[in-house]
Amino acid sequence: MSKIKPSKGAPYARIMGVGGYRPTRVVPNEVILETIDSSDEWIRSRSGIATRHWASDEETVSAMSVEASGKAIADAGIDPSQIGAVVVSTVSHFKQTPAIATEIAHRIGAGKPAAFDISAGCAGFGYGLTLAKGMIVEGSAQYVLVIGVERLSDLTDLNDRATAFLFGDGAGAVIVGPSDVPAIGPTVWGSEGDKSDTIKQTVAWDTFHADRPEKFPAITQEGQAVFRWAVFEMAKVAQQALDAAGIAPEDLDVFIPHQANMRIIDSMVKTLKLPDHVTVARDVETTGNTSAASIPLAMERLLATGQAKSGDTALVIGFGAGLVYAATVVTLP
């Protein structure tokens, strides 16, 4: 018989607070058109994007995360010292080590929590949320800070007509804590590694060891392949998450998909047959694709504008490079 004592965690976990930070600079499509042969109408029709936010030199991955985290902590009504773990999803923190999570934990006054980064692209927030739920239920942390943050303007090739208009910068954060009732459903997640080349970094970091000039890495993607995959496969994953939570489409109040593309969002709404009463996040129009930050940023805006309210049942789904995905049903804070 094992001599290890059982963990003493909470019965369930829930999102207790949410916060977001968008850089102050707003970049309209006209700026993008300075470097690519396109039009505002083409960009809007292809993606639904009119503007995006780009970070200044001072709006670093760490600085944006600290701002978003402070709002989430205040919204949750806890003290930073109560945070037992900090999980950061990002692909645009350029140091392989140490994790940016440790710096953020220190800057927000969290004491000595577990702190680590994860790389799961646009599904990163869902991955982090699932890890946080496990920590709360297992008992290794009472409260977990989950952050999705990107400075994708650093990884955007402004001469690439397929991607120059897509990406934006920002940070979104949530506090996950204990709950007496189920408030974060089972996660349906996974990967399709045979499609890993459809979204990728153009140049590996180790290329810069070589004694030759090399263009700085950028994010590239096979747009049509990614669009087809997202539209046809991710609706199935979203439905699996609904089924796992025992929720029917008509039981939903809110749908918060990864803000990749308006056409993808509209197609998923149609495929899932969501009723008209379901509020759908369409933050992509003014924020662009912020990868791991897109879901918490969209969540915060819906709550702040009154389009969603505390206690609403929401389906969230992220998907992106890898190709990876994660979907779950949550109760909004």
Side-chain angles (χ1 to χ4, degrees), residues 110-121:
K112 299 179 180 180
F116 58 94
D117 299 349
I118 59 175
S119 177

Side-chain angles (χ1 to χ4, degrees), residues 11-301:
Y12 306 102
R14 66 186 178 101
I15 299 175
M16 299 180 60
V18 59
Y21 180 83
R22 292 173 173 83
T24 55
R25 183 188 177 191
V26 177
V27 180
N29 288 339
E30 285 72 19
V31 172
I32 307 300
L33 297 177
E34 294 173 3
T35 54
I36 61 172
D37 180 17
S38 187
S39 68
D40 178 66
E41 181 183 4
W42 186 88
I43 293 173
R44 288 174 186 258
S45 65
R46 296 278 293 186
S47 68
I49 298 172
T51 61
R52 73 285 293 143
H53 295 256
W54 282 355
S56 66
D57 290 343
E58 291 74 28
E59 291 168 318
T60 62
V61 167
S62 176
M64 292 191 293
S65 297
V66 169
E67 291 291 333
S69 299
K71 294 176 182 178
I73 292 166
D75 193 40
I78 68 167
D79 189 271
S81 63
Q82 295 177 277
I83 295 171
V86 177
V87 182
V88 178
S89 177
T90 185
V91 299
S92 45
H93 170 52
F94 292 156
K95 290 182 180 179
Q96 199 75 29
T97 191
I100 194 64
T102 59
E103 178 183 330
I104 294 167
H106 173 70
R107 291 184 62 179
I108 65 173
K112 299 179 180 180
F116 58 94
D117 299 349
I118 59 175
S119 177
C122 304
F125 176 74
Y127 276 52
L129 190 64
T130 303
L131 294 172
K133 174 186 174 183
M135 284 185 259
I136 300 301
V137 174
E138 187 269 340
S140 58
Q142 185 179 11
Y143 301 102
V144 179
L145 171 62
V146 179
I147 302 167
V149 57
E150 301 292 3
R151 271 181 55 122
L152 293 178
S153 58
D154 291 335
L155 290 168
T156 299
D157 181 352
L158 294 179
N159 296 300
D160 180 4
R161 189 171 185 268
T163 61
F165 58 89
L166 286 176
F167 302 119
D169 303 335
V174 298
I175 294 292
V176 180
S179 175
D180 292 329
V181 296
I184 301 176
T187 298
V188 177
W189 57 356
S191 65
E192 297 184 22
D194 60 314
K195 301 179 181 67
S196 61
D197 281 345
T198 55
I199 305 175
K200 62 184 179 180
Q201 185 171 301
T202 53
V203 180
W205 294 118
D206 59 8
T207 301
F208 290 89
H209 284 301
D211 186 20
R212 63 178 186 271
E214 194 69 59
K215 189 176 181 179
F216 194 79
I219 299 292
T220 184
Q221 70 175 27
E222 297 176 15
Q224 286 300 316
V226 173
F227 180 85
R228 288 192 297 269
W229 176 77
V231 168
F232 295 110
E233 298 301 325
M234 290 305 96
K236 298 176 186 176
V237 172
Q239 184 61 57
Q240 290 172 27
L242 289 174
D243 295 341
I247 297 292
E250 55 268 25
D251 297 325
L252 280 177
D253 300 305
V254 184
F255 178 43
I256 311 177
H258 165 49
Q259 302 295 293
N261 180 302
M262 195 75 78
R263 292 167 62 206
I264 292 175
I265 294 170
D266 290 341
S267 295
M268 291 181 71
V269 169
K270 183 178 180 180
T271 302
L272 288 167
K273 299 179 180 179
L274 296 183
D276 291 340
H277 76 262
V278 176
T279 298
V280 180
R282 291 188 170 90
D283 195 43
V284 66
E285 180 180 3
T286 57
T287 307
N289 179 346
T290 56
S291 189
S294 77
I295 291 175
L297 277 174
M299 183 185 295
E300 186 219 26
R301 175 163 281 175

